[in-house]
Coordinates of all heavy atoms in Angstrom, one line a residue:
M223 N 0.8 -1.1 0.0 CA 0.0 0.0 0.0 C 0.9 1.2 0.0 O 1.8 1.4 0.7 CB -0.9 0.0 1.2 CG -1.8 1.2 1.3 SD -2.8 1.1 2.8 CE -2.6 2.7 3.4
K224 N 0.5 2.2 -0.8 CA 1.2 3.4 -0.9 C 0.4 4.5 -0.2 O -0.8 4.5 -0.3 CB 1.6 3.9 -2.3 CG 2.6 3.0 -3.0 CD 2.9 3.6 -4.3 CE 4.0 2.7 -5.0 NZ 4.4 3.3 -6.3
L225 N 1.1 5.5 0.4 CA 0.4 6.6 1.1 C 1.2 7.9 0.6 O 2.4 8.0 0.8 CB 0.5 6.5 2.6 CG -0.1 7.6 3.4 CD1 -1.6 7.5 3.3 CD2 0.4 7.4 4.9
K226 N 0.4 8.7 0.0 CA 0.9 10.0 -0.5 C 0.6 11.1 0.5 O -0.5 11.3 1.0 CB 0.4 10.4 -1.9 CG 1.1 11.6 -2.4 CD 0.7 11.9 -3.9 CE 1.4 13.0 -4.5 NZ 1.0 13.3 -5.8
V227 N 1.7 11.8 1.1 CA 1.6 12.8 2.1 C 2.0 14.1 1.5 O 2.9 14.3 0.9 CB 2.5 12.4 3.3 CG1 2.5 13.4 4.4 CG2 2.2 11.1 3.8
A228 N 1.2 15.1 1.9 CA 1.4 16.5 1.5 C 1.8 17.3 2.8 O 1.1 17.3 3.8 CB 0.2 17.2 0.9
L229 N 3.1 17.8 2.8 CA 3.5 18.7 3.9 C 3.2 20.1 3.5 O 3.8 20.6 2.6 CB 5.0 18.4 4.1 CG 5.4 17.0 4.5 CD1 6.9 16.9 4.6 CD2 4.7 16.5 5.8
C230 N 2.3 20.7 4.2 CA 1.9 22.1 3.9 C 2.6 23.1 4.8 O 2.6 22.9 6.0 CB 0.4 22.2 4.2 SG -0.6 21.0 3.2
Q231 N 3.2 24.1 4.2 CA 4.0 25.1 4.9 C 3.4 26.4 4.5 O 3.0 26.7 3.4 CB 5.4 25.0 4.5 CG 6.2 23.9 5.1 CD 6.2 23.8 6.6 OE1 6.3 24.8 7.3 NE2 6.2 22.6 7.2
M232 N 3.4 27.3 5.5 CA 2.9 28.7 5.1 C 3.6 29.7 6.1 O 4.0 29.4 7.2 CB 1.4 28.7 5.3 CG 0.9 28.6 6.7 SD -0.9 28.7 6.9 CE -1.4 27.1 6.2
N233 N 3.8 30.9 5.6 CA 4.4 32.0 6.3 C 3.2 32.7 7.0 O 2.4 33.2 6.4 CB 5.1 33.0 5.4 CG 5.8 34.0 6.1 OD1 6.2 33.9 7.3 ND2 6.0 35.2 5.5
V234 N 3.2 32.7 8.4 CA 2.2 33.3 9.2 C 2.8 34.5 9.8 O 3.7 34.5 10.6 CB 1.6 32.3 10.2 CG1 0.5 33.0 11.0 CG2 1.1 31.1 9.5
V235 N 2.1 35.7 9.6 CA 2.5 36.9 10.3 C 1.4 37.5 11.1 O 0.3 36.9 11.1 CB 2.9 38.0 9.2 CG1 4.2 37.6 8.4 CG2 1.8 38.3 8.2
D236 N 1.7 38.4 11.9 CA 0.6 38.9 12.9 C -0.4 39.9 12.1 O -0.2 41.0 12.0 CB 1.3 39.7 14.0 CG 0.3 40.2 15.1 OD1 -0.8 39.6 15.1 OD2 0.7 41.0 15.9
N237 N -1.4 39.2 11.6 CA -2.5 39.9 10.8 C -3.7 39.0 10.8 O -3.7 38.2 10.0 CB -2.0 40.2 9.4 CG -3.0 41.0 8.6 OD1 -4.2 41.1 9.0 ND2 -2.5 41.7 7.5
K238 N -4.7 39.3 11.6 CA -5.8 38.5 11.7 C -6.7 38.6 10.5 O -7.5 37.6 10.2 CB -6.7 38.9 12.9 CG -6.2 38.5 14.3 CD -7.2 38.5 15.3 CE -6.9 37.6 16.5 NZ -7.9 37.4 17.4
E239 N -6.5 39.5 9.7 CA -7.3 39.7 8.4 C -6.7 38.7 7.3 O -7.4 38.6 6.3 CB -7.2 41.1 7.9 CG -7.8 42.1 8.8 CD -9.3 41.8 9.2 OE1 -10.1 41.4 8.3 OE2 -9.6 41.8 10.4
K240 N -5.5 38.1 7.5 CA -5.0 37.2 6.5 C -5.8 35.9 6.3 O -5.7 35.3 5.4 CB -3.6 36.8 6.9 CG -2.6 38.0 6.7 CD -2.1 38.0 5.3 CE -1.0 39.0 5.1 NZ -0.5 39.0 3.8
K241 N -6.6 35.5 7.3 CA -7.4 34.3 7.3 C -6.6 33.1 6.9 O -6.8 32.5 5.9 CB -8.6 34.6 6.2 CG -9.3 35.8 6.4 CD -10.3 35.7 7.6 CE -11.3 36.9 7.6 NZ -11.5 37.4 8.9
Y242 N -5.8 32.7 7.8 CA -4.9 31.6 7.6 C -5.7 30.3 7.5 O -5.3 29.3 6.9 CB -3.8 31.5 8.6 CG -2.9 32.6 8.6 CD1 -3.0 33.7 9.6 CD2 -2.0 32.8 7.6 CE1 -2.2 34.8 9.4 CE2 -1.2 33.9 7.4 CZ -1.3 34.9 8.4 OH -0.5 36.0 8.3
Q243 N -6.9 30.2 8.0 CA -7.7 29.1 7.9 C -8.0 28.8 6.4 O -8.0 27.7 5.9 CB -9.0 29.2 8.7 CG -8.8 29.2 10.2 CD -8.7 30.7 10.7 OE1 -8.3 31.6 9.9 NE2 -8.7 30.9 12.0
K244 N -8.4 29.9 5.7 CA -8.7 29.8 4.3 C -7.5 29.3 3.5 O -7.6 28.5 2.6 CB -9.2 31.1 3.7 CG -10.6 31.5 4.2 CD -11.1 32.7 3.5 CE -12.5 33.0 4.1 NZ -13.1 34.3 3.5
K245 N -6.3 29.8 3.9 CA -5.1 29.4 3.2 C -4.8 27.9 3.4 O -4.5 27.1 2.5 CB -3.9 30.2 3.7 CG -2.6 29.9 2.9 CD -1.5 30.9 3.2 CE -0.3 30.5 2.4 NZ 0.7 31.5 2.4
A246 N -5.1 27.4 4.6 CA -4.9 26.0 5.1 C -5.9 25.2 4.2 O -5.6 24.1 3.7 CB -5.1 25.8 6.5
I247 N -7.1 25.6 4.2 CA -8.2 24.9 3.4 C -7.8 24.7 2.0 O -7.9 23.7 1.4 CB -9.6 25.6 3.6 CG1 -10.0 25.3 5.1 CG2 -10.6 25.1 2.5 CD1 -11.2 26.2 5.4
N248 N -7.3 25.8 1.4 CA -6.9 25.8 0.0 C -5.7 24.8 -0.2 O -5.6 24.1 -1.2 CB -6.5 27.2 -0.5 CG -7.7 28.0 -0.7 OD1 -8.8 27.6 -1.0 ND2 -7.5 29.4 -0.7
M249 N -4.8 24.7 0.8 CA -3.7 23.8 0.7 C -4.2 22.4 0.8 O -3.7 21.5 0.1 CB -2.7 24.2 1.7 CG -2.0 25.5 1.5 SD -0.9 26.0 2.9 CE 0.6 25.3 2.2
I250 N -5.1 22.1 1.7 CA -5.7 20.8 1.8 C -6.4 20.4 0.4 O -6.2 19.2 0.0 CB -6.7 20.7 2.9 CG1 -6.0 20.9 4.3 CG2 -7.5 19.4 3.0 CD1 -6.9 21.3 5.4
K251 N -7.2 21.3 -0.1 CA -7.8 21.0 -1.4 C -6.8 20.7 -2.5 O -7.0 19.8 -3.3 CB -8.8 22.1 -1.8 CG -10.0 22.2 -0.9 CD -10.9 23.3 -1.3 CE -12.2 23.4 -0.5 NZ -13.0 24.5 -0.9
K252 N -5.8 21.4 -2.5 CA -4.7 21.3 -3.5 C -4.0 19.9 -3.4 O -3.8 19.2 -4.3 CB -3.7 22.4 -3.5 CG -2.6 22.2 -4.5 CD -1.6 23.4 -4.5 CE -0.5 23.1 -5.6 NZ 0.6 24.0 -5.4
A253 N -3.7 19.5 -2.0 CA -3.1 18.3 -1.7 C -4.0 17.1 -2.3 O -3.5 16.2 -2.9 CB -2.9 18.1 -0.3
K254 N -5.3 17.3 -2.0 CA -6.2 16.2 -2.5 C -6.2 16.1 -4.0 O -6.2 15.0 -4.7 CB -7.6 16.5 -1.9 CG -8.6 15.4 -2.4 CD -8.3 14.0 -1.9 CE -9.3 13.0 -2.4 NZ -9.0 11.7 -1.8
S255 N -6.3 17.3 -4.7 CA -6.3 17.3 -6.1 C -5.1 16.7 -6.7 O -5.1 16.3 -7.9 CB -6.6 18.7 -6.7 OG -5.4 19.5 -6.5
E256 N -4.0 16.8 -6.0 CA -2.7 16.2 -6.5 C -2.5 14.7 -6.0 O -1.4 14.2 -6.2 CB -1.5 17.1 -6.1 CG -1.6 18.4 -6.8 CD -0.4 19.3 -6.3 OE1 0.3 19.0 -5.3 OE2 -0.4 20.4 -6.8
G257 N -3.6 14.1 -5.4 CA -3.6 12.7 -5.1 C -3.1 12.4 -3.7 O -2.8 11.2 -3.5
S258 N -2.9 13.3 -2.8 CA -2.5 13.0 -1.5 C -3.6 12.4 -0.7 O -4.8 12.6 -0.9 CB -2.0 14.3 -0.7 OG -0.9 14.8 -1.4
D259 N -3.1 11.5 0.2 CA -4.1 10.8 1.2 C -4.2 11.5 2.5 O -5.1 11.3 3.2 CB -3.6 9.4 1.4 CG -3.5 8.6 0.1 OD1 -4.5 8.4 -0.5 OD2 -2.3 8.2 -0.2
I260 N -3.1 12.3 2.8 CA -3.1 13.0 4.1 C -2.3 14.4 3.9 O -1.4 14.4 3.1 CB -2.4 12.2 5.2 CG1 -2.4 12.9 6.5 CG2 -0.9 11.8 4.9 CD1 -2.1 12.1 7.7
A261 N -2.9 15.3 4.5 CA -2.3 16.7 4.5 C -1.9 17.0 5.9 O -2.6 16.9 6.8 CB -3.2 17.7 3.9
I262 N -0.6 17.5 6.0 CA -0.1 17.8 7.3 C 0.2 19.4 7.4 O 1.0 19.8 6.6 CB 1.2 17.1 7.7 CG1 1.0 15.5 7.6 CG2 1.8 17.5 9.0 CD1 2.1 14.7 7.8
L263 N -0.5 20.0 8.3 CA -0.4 21.5 8.4 C 0.6 21.8 9.5 O 0.8 20.9 10.4 CB -1.7 22.0 8.8 CG -2.9 21.9 7.9 CD1 -4.2 22.4 8.5 CD2 -2.6 22.6 6.6
P264 N 1.3 22.9 9.4 CA 2.3 23.3 10.5 C 1.7 23.5 11.9 O 0.5 23.8 12.0 CB 2.9 24.5 9.9 CG 1.9 25.1 9.0 CD 1.0 23.9 8.5
E265 N 2.6 23.5 12.8 CA 2.2 23.8 14.2 C 1.8 25.3 14.3 O 2.4 26.1 13.6 CB 3.4 23.5 15.1 CG 3.1 23.7 16.5 CD 4.3 23.3 17.3 OE1 5.5 23.2 16.8 OE2 4.2 22.9 18.5
M266 N 0.8 25.6 15.0 CA 0.2 27.0 15.1 C 0.1 27.6 13.8 O 0.5 28.8 13.5 CB 1.2 27.8 16.0 CG 1.3 27.3 17.4 SD -0.2 27.3 18.3 CE 0.3 26.6 19.9
F267 N -0.7 26.9 12.9 CA -0.9 27.5 11.5 C -1.9 28.6 11.4 O -1.9 29.2 10.4 CB -1.3 26.3 10.6 CG -2.7 25.8 10.9 CD1 -3.8 26.3 10.3 CD2 -2.8 24.7 11.7 CE1 -5.1 25.8 10.5 CE2 -4.1 24.2 12.1 CZ -5.2 24.8 11.4
N268 N -2.6 28.8 12.5 CA -3.6 30.0 12.4 C -3.1 31.2 13.1 O -4.0 32.2 13.4 CB -5.0 29.5 12.9 CG -5.0 29.3 14.5 OD1 -4.0 29.1 15.1 ND2 -6.1 29.5 15.0
C269 N -1.9 31.3 13.6 CA -1.4 32.4 14.3 C 0.1 32.5 14.2 O 0.8 31.5 13.8 CB -1.8 32.4 15.7 SG -0.9 31.1 16.7
P270 N 0.7 33.6 14.5 CA 2.2 33.7 14.6 C 2.7 32.8 15.7 O 2.1 32.7 16.7 CB 2.5 35.3 14.9 CG 1.2 35.9 14.6 CD 0.1 34.9 14.8
Y271 N 3.8 32.2 15.4 CA 4.4 31.4 16.4 C 5.2 32.2 17.4 O 6.5 32.1 17.4 CB 5.3 30.2 15.9 CG 5.5 29.1 16.8 CD1 4.7 27.9 16.6 CD2 6.3 29.2 17.8 CE1 4.9 26.9 17.5 CE2 6.5 28.1 18.7 CZ 5.8 27.0 18.6 OH 5.9 25.9 19.5
E272 N 4.5 32.9 18.3 CA 5.1 33.8 19.3 C 4.3 33.6 20.6 O 3.0 33.9 20.5 CB 5.2 35.3 18.8 CG 5.9 35.4 17.6 CD 5.8 36.9 17.1 OE1 5.5 37.8 17.9 OE2 5.9 37.1 15.8
N273 N 4.9 33.3 21.7 CA 4.1 33.0 22.8 C 3.2 34.2 23.2 O 2.1 34.0 23.7 CB 5.0 32.8 24.0 CG 5.7 31.5 23.9 OD1 5.3 30.6 23.2 ND2 6.8 31.3 24.7
E274 N 3.6 35.4 23.0 CA 2.8 36.5 23.4 C 1.5 36.7 22.5 O 0.6 37.4 22.8 CB 3.6 37.8 23.5 CG 4.2 38.3 22.2 CD 5.6 37.7 21.9 OE1 6.1 36.8 22.8 OE2 6.2 38.0 20.9
K275 N 1.5 36.0 21.4 CA 0.4 36.1 20.4 C -0.6 35.1 20.6 O -1.8 35.1 20.2 CB 0.9 36.1 19.0 CG 1.7 37.3 18.6 CD 0.8 38.6 18.6 CE 1.7 39.7 18.2 NZ 0.9 40.9 18.2
F276 N -0.3 34.0 21.4 CA -1.2 32.9 21.5 C -2.5 33.2 22.2 O -3.5 32.8 21.7 CB -0.5 31.7 22.3 CG 0.6 31.1 21.6 CD1 1.6 30.3 22.3 CD2 0.8 31.3 20.3 CE1 2.6 29.7 21.7 CE2 1.9 30.7 19.6 CZ 2.8 29.8 20.3
K277 N -2.5 34.1 23.2 CA -3.7 34.5 23.8 C -4.6 35.2 22.9 O -5.9 34.9 22.8 CB -3.4 35.4 25.0 CG -4.6 35.7 25.8 CD -4.3 36.4 27.1 CE -5.5 36.7 27.9 NZ -5.2 37.4 29.2
E278 N -4.1 36.1 22.1 CA -4.9 36.9 21.2 C -5.6 36.0 20.0 O -6.7 36.2 19.7 CB -4.0 37.8 20.4 CG -4.6 38.7 19.4 CD -3.6 39.6 18.7 OE1 -2.5 39.8 19.2 OE2 -4.0 40.2 17.7
Y279 N -4.9 34.9 19.6 CA -5.5 34.1 18.6 C -6.2 32.8 19.1 O -6.7 32.0 18.3 CB -4.3 33.6 17.7 CG -3.8 34.7 16.7 CD1 -2.9 35.7 17.2 CD2 -4.3 34.8 15.4 CE1 -2.5 36.7 16.3 CE2 -3.9 35.8 14.6 CZ -3.0 36.8 15.0 OH -2.5 37.8 14.2
A280 N -6.2 32.6 20.4 CA -6.6 31.4 21.0 C -8.2 31.1 20.7 O -8.9 32.1 20.7 CB -6.4 31.3 22.5
E281 N -8.6 29.9 20.7 CA -10.0 29.6 20.5 C -10.4 28.5 21.4 O -9.5 27.7 21.9 CB -10.2 29.1 19.1 CG -9.8 30.1 17.9 CD -10.0 29.4 16.5 OE1 -10.9 28.6 16.4 OE2 -9.2 29.8 15.7
F282 N -11.6 28.4 21.8 CA -12.2 27.3 22.6 C -12.3 26.1 21.6 O -12.8 26.3 20.6 CB -13.6 27.6 23.1 CG -13.5 28.6 24.4 CD1 -13.8 29.8 24.2 CD2 -13.0 28.2 25.6 CE1 -13.9 30.7 25.2 CE2 -13.0 29.1 26.6 CZ -13.4 30.3 26.4
S283 N -11.7 24.9 22.0 CA -11.7 23.8 21.1 C -13.1 23.3 20.7 O -13.3 22.9 19.6 CB -10.9 22.6 21.7 OG -11.4 22.2 22.9
D284 N -14.1 23.4 21.6 CA -15.4 22.9 21.3 C -16.2 23.9 20.5 O -17.3 23.5 20.0 CB -16.1 22.6 22.6 CG -16.4 23.8 23.6 OD1 -15.7 24.7 23.3 OD2 -17.1 23.6 24.5
N285 N -15.7 25.1 20.2 CA -16.4 26.1 19.4 C -15.3 26.8 18.5 O -15.4 28.0 18.3 CB -17.1 27.1 20.2 CG -18.1 28.0 19.4 OD1 -18.5 27.5 18.4 ND2 -18.4 29.1 19.9
S286 N -14.4 26.0 17.9 CA -13.3 26.6 17.2 C -13.6 26.7 15.7 O -13.9 25.7 15.0 CB -12.1 25.8 17.4 OG -11.1 26.1 16.4
Y287 N -13.6 28.0 15.2 CA -13.9 28.1 13.8 C -12.8 27.4 13.0 O -13.0 26.7 12.0 CB -13.8 29.6 13.4 CG -13.8 29.9 11.9 CD1 -14.9 29.7 11.2 CD2 -12.5 30.2 11.3 CE1 -14.9 29.9 9.8 CE2 -12.5 30.4 9.9 CZ -13.6 30.2 9.1 OH -13.6 30.4 7.8
T288 N -11.5 27.5 13.5 CA -10.5 26.8 12.8 C -10.6 25.4 12.7 O -10.6 24.7 11.6 CB -9.1 27.1 13.5 OG1 -8.9 28.6 13.5 CG2 -7.9 26.5 12.8
L289 N -10.8 24.7 13.9 CA -11.0 23.2 13.9 C -12.2 22.8 13.1 O -12.1 21.8 12.3 CB -11.0 22.8 15.3 CG -9.7 23.0 16.1 CD1 -9.9 22.5 17.5 CD2 -8.5 22.4 15.4
K290 N -13.3 23.5 13.2 CA -14.6 23.1 12.4 C -14.3 23.2 10.9 O -14.7 22.3 10.2 CB -15.7 24.0 12.9 CG -16.2 23.6 14.2 CD -17.5 24.4 14.6 CE -18.0 24.1 16.1 NZ -19.0 24.9 16.5
S291 N -13.7 24.3 10.5 CA -13.5 24.4 9.1 C -12.5 23.4 8.5 O -12.7 22.9 7.4 CB -13.0 25.9 8.7 OG -11.8 26.2 9.4
I292 N -11.5 23.1 9.3 CA -10.5 22.0 8.8 C -11.2 20.7 8.8 O -11.0 20.0 7.8 CB -9.2 22.1 9.7 CG1 -8.5 23.4 9.6 CG2 -8.4 20.9 9.3 CD1 -8.1 23.8 8.2
A293 N -12.0 20.4 9.8 CA -12.6 19.1 9.8 C -13.6 19.0 8.7 O -13.8 17.9 8.1 CB -13.3 18.9 11.2
E294 N -14.4 20.0 8.4 CA -15.3 20.0 7.3 C -14.6 19.8 6.0 O -15.1 19.0 5.2 CB -16.2 21.3 7.3 CG -17.2 21.4 6.3 CD -18.1 22.7 6.4 OE1 -18.7 22.9 7.5 OE2 -18.0 23.4 5.4
T295 N -13.6 20.5 5.8 CA -12.9 20.3 4.6 C -12.3 18.9 4.4 O -12.4 18.3 3.4 CB -11.6 21.3 4.5 OG1 -12.2 22.6 4.6 CG2 -10.9 21.2 3.2
S296 N -11.7 18.4 5.5 CA -11.3 17.0 5.5 C -12.3 16.0 5.0 O -12.1 15.2 4.2 CB -10.7 16.6 6.8 OG -10.4 15.3 6.9
K297 N -13.5 16.2 5.7 CA -14.6 15.3 5.3 C -15.1 15.5 3.9 O -15.3 14.5 3.2 CB -15.8 15.6 6.3 CG -17.0 14.7 6.1 CD -18.1 15.0 7.1 CE -19.3 14.1 6.9 NZ -20.4 14.4 7.8
N298 N -15.2 16.7 3.5 CA -15.8 17.0 2.1 C -14.8 16.6 1.0 O -15.3 16.2 -0.1 CB -16.1 18.5 1.9 CG -17.3 19.0 2.7 OD1 -18.1 18.2 3.2 ND2 -17.4 20.2 3.0
E299 N -13.5 16.8 1.3 CA -12.5 16.4 0.3 C -12.0 14.9 0.4 O -11.3 14.5 -0.4 CB -11.2 17.3 0.4 CG -11.6 18.7 0.2 CD -11.9 19.0 -1.2 OE1 -11.4 18.4 -2.2 OE2 -12.8 19.8 -1.5
N300 N -12.5 14.2 1.5 CA -12.1 12.8 1.7 C -10.6 12.6 1.8 O -10.0 11.9 1.0 CB -12.7 11.9 0.6 CG -12.6 10.4 1.0 OD1 -12.6 10.1 2.2 ND2 -12.5 9.6 0.0
I301 N -10.0 13.4 2.6 CA -8.6 13.4 2.9 C -8.4 13.5 4.4 O -9.0 14.2 5.1 CB -7.8 14.6 2.1 CG1 -6.3 14.4 2.3 CG2 -8.4 15.9 2.6 CD1 -5.5 15.4 1.4
H302 N -7.4 12.8 4.9 CA -7.0 12.9 6.3 C -6.2 14.2 6.5 O -5.4 14.5 5.6 CB -6.2 11.7 6.7 CG -7.0 10.3 6.6 ND1 -7.9 10.0 7.6 CD2 -6.9 9.4 5.7 CE1 -8.4 8.9 7.3 NE2 -7.9 8.5 6.1
V303 N -6.3 14.8 7.6 CA -5.6 16.1 7.9 C -5.0 16.0 9.3 O -5.7 15.6 10.3 CB -6.5 17.3 7.8 CG1 -5.7 18.5 8.2 CG2 -7.1 17.4 6.4
L304 N -3.8 16.2 9.4 CA -3.1 16.4 10.7 C -2.9 17.9 10.8 O -2.2 18.6 10.1 CB -1.7 15.7 10.7 CG -0.9 16.0 12.0 CD1 -1.6 15.5 13.2 CD2 0.5 15.3 11.9
A305 N -3.8 18.4 11.7 CA -3.9 19.9 11.7 C -2.9 20.6 12.6 O -3.3 21.7 13.3 CB -5.4 20.3 12.2
G306 N -1.7 20.1 12.9 CA -0.8 20.7 13.7 C -1.3 21.1 15.1 O -1.8 20.2 15.8
S307 N -1.4 22.3 15.4 CA -1.9 22.7 16.6 C -2.3 24.2 16.5 O -2.0 24.9 15.6 CB -0.9 22.7 17.8 OG 0.3 23.3 17.5
I308 N -3.2 24.6 17.4 CA -3.7 26.0 17.5 C -3.6 26.4 19.0 O -3.7 25.5 19.9 CB -5.1 26.2 16.9 CG1 -6.1 25.5 17.7 CG2 -5.1 25.8 15.5 CD1 -7.6 25.9 17.4
P309 N -3.5 27.7 19.2 CA -3.6 28.1 20.6 C -5.1 27.9 21.1 O -6.0 28.2 20.5 CB -3.3 29.6 20.6 CG -3.4 30.0 19.3 CD -3.3 28.8 18.3
E310 N -5.2 27.3 22.3 CA -6.5 26.9 22.8 C -6.8 27.6 24.2 O -5.9 27.8 25.0 CB -6.4 25.4 23.1 CG -7.7 24.8 23.5 CD -7.6 23.2 23.6 OE1 -6.6 22.6 23.2 OE2 -8.6 22.7 24.2
K311 N -8.1 28.0 24.3 CA -8.6 28.5 25.6 C -9.4 27.4 26.3 O -10.0 26.6 25.7 CB -9.7 29.7 25.2 CG -9.1 30.9 24.6 CD -10.2 32.0 24.5 CE -9.7 33.1 23.6 NZ -10.9 34.0 23.4
K312 N -9.4 27.6 27.6 CA -10.2 26.7 28.5 C -10.7 27.6 29.6 O -10.2 28.7 29.9 CB -9.3 25.6 29.1 CG -8.8 24.6 28.2 CD -9.9 23.5 28.0 CE -9.3 22.4 27.2 NZ -10.2 21.5 26.7
I313 N -11.7 27.2 30.2 CA -12.3 27.9 31.5 C -11.6 27.2 32.7 O -11.7 25.9 32.8 CB -13.9 27.7 31.5 CG1 -14.5 28.4 30.3 CG2 -14.3 28.3 32.8 CD1 -14.3 29.9 30.2
N314 N -11.0 28.0 33.5 CA -10.5 27.5 34.8 C -11.6 27.0 35.7 O -12.5 27.9 36.1 CB -9.6 28.6 35.4 CG -9.0 28.2 36.6 OD1 -9.6 27.5 37.5 ND2 -7.7 28.4 36.8
A315 N -11.7 25.8 36.0 CA -12.8 25.2 36.9 C -12.8 25.9 38.3 O -13.9 26.0 38.8 CB -12.6 23.7 37.0
E316 N -11.7 26.4 38.8 CA -11.7 27.0 40.1 C -12.2 28.5 40.1 O -12.9 28.9 40.9 CB -10.4 26.9 40.7 CG -9.9 25.4 41.0 CD -8.5 25.3 41.5 OE1 -7.9 26.4 41.9 OE2 -8.0 24.3 41.5
T317 N -11.8 29.2 39.1 CA -12.1 30.6 39.0 C -13.3 31.0 38.1 O -13.8 32.0 38.1 CB -10.8 31.4 38.6 OG1 -10.5 31.1 37.3 CG2 -9.7 31.1 39.5
G318 N -13.5 30.1 37.1 CA -14.5 30.4 36.0 C -14.0 31.3 35.1 O -14.8 31.7 34.2
K319 N -12.7 31.7 35.1 CA -12.2 32.6 34.1 C -11.4 31.8 33.0 O -11.0 30.7 33.2 CB -11.2 33.5 34.8 CG -11.9 34.4 35.8 CD -10.8 35.4 36.4 CE -11.6 36.3 37.4 NZ -10.6 37.3 38.0
E320 N -11.3 32.5 31.9 CA -10.6 31.9 30.7 C -9.1 31.8 31.1 O -8.5 32.5 31.8 CB -10.6 32.8 29.5 CG -11.9 32.9 28.8 CD -11.9 33.8 27.6 OE1 -10.9 34.1 27.1 OE2 -13.1 34.1 27.1
K321 N -8.5 30.7 30.5 CA -7.1 30.5 30.7 C -6.6 29.9 29.3 O -7.4 29.3 28.6 CB -6.7 29.6 31.8 CG -7.1 28.2 31.6 CD -6.6 27.4 32.8 CE -7.0 25.8 32.6 NZ -6.5 25.0 33.7
N322 N -5.4 30.2 29.0 CA -4.8 29.6 27.8 C -4.0 28.4 28.1 O -3.3 28.4 29.0 CB -4.0 30.7 27.0 CG -4.9 31.8 26.5 OD1 -5.9 31.6 26.0 ND2 -4.3 33.0 26.5
L323 N -4.0 27.5 27.2 CA -3.2 26.3 27.4 C -2.0 26.4 26.6 O -1.8 27.0 25.6 CB -3.9 25.0 26.9 CG -5.2 24.8 27.8 CD1 -5.9 23.6 27.1 CD2 -4.9 24.6 29.2

């Protein structure tokens, strides 16, 4: 059995208007059109890889636009996706306040 893998790379800068999710989706679709079975996105693909930026770009995993759009694309395109990672928010059980992981 052969497995074709697409390694997706992108330059991410501090600009929320860039819509990196759309860029990732386009890369997944391109990978599928070129015969890939799996697309691998970079770590922190939806934000700059800078600790001080993680809070600004963080999303709740259960209501994440990024994760939902990538999952939907994966399903629609019939391709496996390793979505790297994104900065994630959680609610602190003790204080009830947001915290970043």
